[in-house]
Amino acid sequence: MKTLALETSAKSVSVAVTENGTLLAQAYQDRGLTHSVTLMPLLDGMLKTAGLTLDDMDIIAVAQGPGSFTGIRIGVSAAKGLAWAKALPCCGVSTLEAMAYGVTDFEGVVVGAMDARRQQVYNALFRTENGRVTRLCADRAVAMELVAEELAAMPEPKLIVGDGAVLLYDFLQKAGIGCRLASPLHRQQSAAGVALAAEHLAAQGLTCSAQELQPVYLRLSQAERERLG
């Protein structure tokens, strides 16, 4: 089963193809350019270089959030269009869970952290053991104090991933909680992790149609908050 994955939830953009747990191809860019400009050329170039086409794919996967509102919309919209054109099933993957699948050689608690602004992080906790990922809590936008309280009660080694990893790491160090940062290569969001997470979800039958695929923001956008205010 070949899975084509898109990751546009943060500053970087990436695409990847996996087959039964093996990474076949990937492309990554972090140059500060808009995803609306870079995503499709990056995808087209990867497929051509790898000798693959959309006709070879069985599932279209995408990081559906949390993350940048604009980035998530671009990725989900692209995934819906690709899946619709080829009548393929979709798999929406948590951005935080996808990052845990990028560090499955680590044994302990993986702490996903994305900068949610307003003194909060998008966060979820996962246990990685023997190459398997187990979710410990739901994705949430929370204060770093809450994450620190939960981690203080966990004796396992702790690894922090995500574009908010340094922010949370510094806070935890000041709170006296032992942890370490993932290496820069494995710290950021990656489509390879999205694809591997999607394979696991698809094996449980957790796919959807292009029409059903939706972004997950966790909280209202600034414009929506101001309108309600």
Side-chain angles (χ1 to χ4, degrees), residues 52-67:
L52 296 167
T53 70
L54 284 177
D55 291 326
D56 297 313
M57 304 303 148
D58 298 292
I59 293 177
I60 304 296
V62 64
Q64 66 181 152

Side-chain angles (χ1 to χ4, degrees), residues 1-4 17-20 24 52 56-59:
M1 180 182 73
K2 290 185 176 66
T3 300
L4 171 63
V17 177
T18 60
E19 183 174 24
N20 302 324
L24 301 183
L52 296 167
D56 297 313
M57 304 303 148
D58 298 292
I59 293 177

